């Protein structure tokens, strides 16, 4: 019997998804599977995570029955580690497009890895890889999405900054169908990314951007420096172009917008 609100395990099995009612972290499990020789394309999905990980050592709150928490193991042929850097941006833009299409909610992207609705965070992406010499051995792309969370499902400290599809639309979404639709679309996007790079995703990212045109403050761009200015563009490699008040432009490849 499929309980209302829970994942449909028959459909997940039929699609070859490794589903776990509970895991520490889907990224950690996907990395373990990668080290054990699992093939590229392996997908790990959990209903709940007790040690969900975010960027910069943060945790990802993952209560049961509410979200979509999954990781895809990728073994891209001939990809060099630098080419994989804008993968997160490509995945974020594709996910925003598909979420808008499937739910009608105006999901946007914040550089580099956040999915927002109305300025609040509804999703995030954590990409981790392992290299051997110059080669990229594998990448794990982990995505966390707040779907049916009520306000009380978030810890108090996140309530001001986090949101979910349910909170923004009043609709409780059927997670299995939404996940399988997203995954199908993401797989197509990843194939395109490894064939043609970030260029085909640049216009999409710009269209859905909540970052371009805003004044930003960036941390982690290098040497403890804080970069401030207006986010004016995103180039074909996924770098953010920041213009300061004297019109000087900086090209930022990594970091985090702190406001
Ligand atoms: C972030 O915004 O900091 C990234 C959050 C990524 C969370 C997802 S949930 C599924 C996968 N498993 C993890 O442990 N983390 C990612």
């Amino acid at each position: 019997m499929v309980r209302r609100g829970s994942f449909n395990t028959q459909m997940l099995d039929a699609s070859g998804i490794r589903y776990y009612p509970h895991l520490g972290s889907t990224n950690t499990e996907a990395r373990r599977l990668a080290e054990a020789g699992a093939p590229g394309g392996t997908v790990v999905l959990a209903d709940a995570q007790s040690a969900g990980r975010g960027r910069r050592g943060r945790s990802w709150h993952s209560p049961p029955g509410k979200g979509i928490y999954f990781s895809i193991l990728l073994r891209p042929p001939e990809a060099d580690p630098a080419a994989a850097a804008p993968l997160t941006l490509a995945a974020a833009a594709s996910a925003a497009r598909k979420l808008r299409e499937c739910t009608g909610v105006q999901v946007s992207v914040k550089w580099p890895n956040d999915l927002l609705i109305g300025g609040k965070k509804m999703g995030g992406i954590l990409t981790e890889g392992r290299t051997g010499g110059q080669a990229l051995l594998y990448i794990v792309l982990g995505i966390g999405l707040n779907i049916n969370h009520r306000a009380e499902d978030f810890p108090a400290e996140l309530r001001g900054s986090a949101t979910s599809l349910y909170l923004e639309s009043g609709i409780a979404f059927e997670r299995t169908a939404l996940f399988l639709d997203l995954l199908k679309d993401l797989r197509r996007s990843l194939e395109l990314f490894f064939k043609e790079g970030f260029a085909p995703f640049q216009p999409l990212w710009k269209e859905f951007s909540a970052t371009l045109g805003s004044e930003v403050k960036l941390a982690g761009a290098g040497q403890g420096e804080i970069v401030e200015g207006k986010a004016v563009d995103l180039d074909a490699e996924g770098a953010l172009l920041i213009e300061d008040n004297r019109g000087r432009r900086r090209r930022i490849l990594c970091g985090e917008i702190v406001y």
Side-chain angles (χ1 to χ4, degrees):
M1 191 182 78
V2 178
R3 262 197 306 131
R4 200 174 133 76
S6 46
F7 278 108
N8 181 329
T9 50
Q10 276 169 355
M11 278 171 79
L12 295 174
D13 275 357
S15 304
I17 309 298
R18 288 175 177 259
Y19 170 73
Y20 302 79
H22 185 271
L23 267 182
S25 151
T26 58
N27 264 37
T28 304
E29 177 61 9
R31 287 171 70 170
R32 189 191 68 74
L33 290 167
E35 298 294 336
T42 300
V43 178
V44 177
L45 170 73
D47 182 46
Q49 300 181 113
S50 53
R53 292 186 285 112
R55 287 176 85 230
R56 301 178 173 267
R58 284 190 292 256
S59 59
W60 184 260
H61 181 65
S62 318
K66 302 291 170 183
I68 296 179
Y69 317 114
F70 70 105
S71 303
I72 309 183
L73 168 61
L74 303 167
R75 294 191 186 273
E78 299 161 27
D80 78 276
L87 174 67
T88 305
L89 295 167
S94 307
R97 175 184 57 190
K98 196 65 191 169
L99 284 167
R100 282 186 187 206
E101 187 189 309
C102 292
T103 68
V105 181
Q106 291 302 293
V107 178
S108 55
V109 292
K110 176 180 164 192
W111 192 88
N113 74 322
D114 290 352
L115 293 167
L116 305 185
I117 309 172
K120 290 185 166 188
K121 185 155 170 166
M122 71 78 54
I125 302 182
L126 178 67
T127 308
E128 300 177 300
R130 180 160 164 221
T131 50
Q134 299 299 316
L136 190 58
L137 299 179
Y138 64 80
I139 299 173
V140 168
L141 180 77
I143 304 188
L145 302 170
N146 301 331
I147 307 294
N148 293 329
H149 298 55
R150 274 54 174 172
E152 61 272 22
D153 295 319
F154 292 110
E157 67 274 16
L158 289 183
R159 277 177 211 157
S161 59
T163 193
S164 70
L165 289 175
Y166 173 79
L167 284 171
E168 300 299 328
S169 66
I171 300 168
F173 289 92
E174 207 286 293
R175 287 179 300 155
T176 310
L178 184 58
F179 165 69
L180 290 174
D181 277 354
L182 269 172
L183 182 64
K184 193 168 158 199
D185 189 69
L186 190 60
R187 280 187 157 137
R188 269 201 300 260
S189 294
L190 292 169
E191 213 177 291
L192 179 64
F193 177 86
F194 287 117
K195 232 189 267 161
E196 297 183 24
F198 183 66
F201 296 93
Q202 182 196 18
L204 187 68
W205 193 94
K206 286 165 83 163
E207 184 186 339
F208 293 154
S209 168
T211 300
L212 296 182
S214 343
E215 292 296 327
V216 296
K217 185 170 172 181
L218 259 140
Q223 297 164 345
E225 193 191 2
I226 297 280
V227 179
E228 283 186 75
K230 187 172 181 178
V232 288
D233 206 357
L234 181 90
D235 73 15
E237 275 92 53
L240 192 62
L241 303 182
I242 307 283
E243 191 170 284
D244 69 16
N245 52 15
R246 292 159 72 182
R248 289 175 307 197
R249 285 192 172 194
R250 289 275 304 268
R251 189 172 176 269
I252 309 289
L253 271 163
C254 64
E256 176 169 72
I257 295 174
V258 285
Y259 75 71

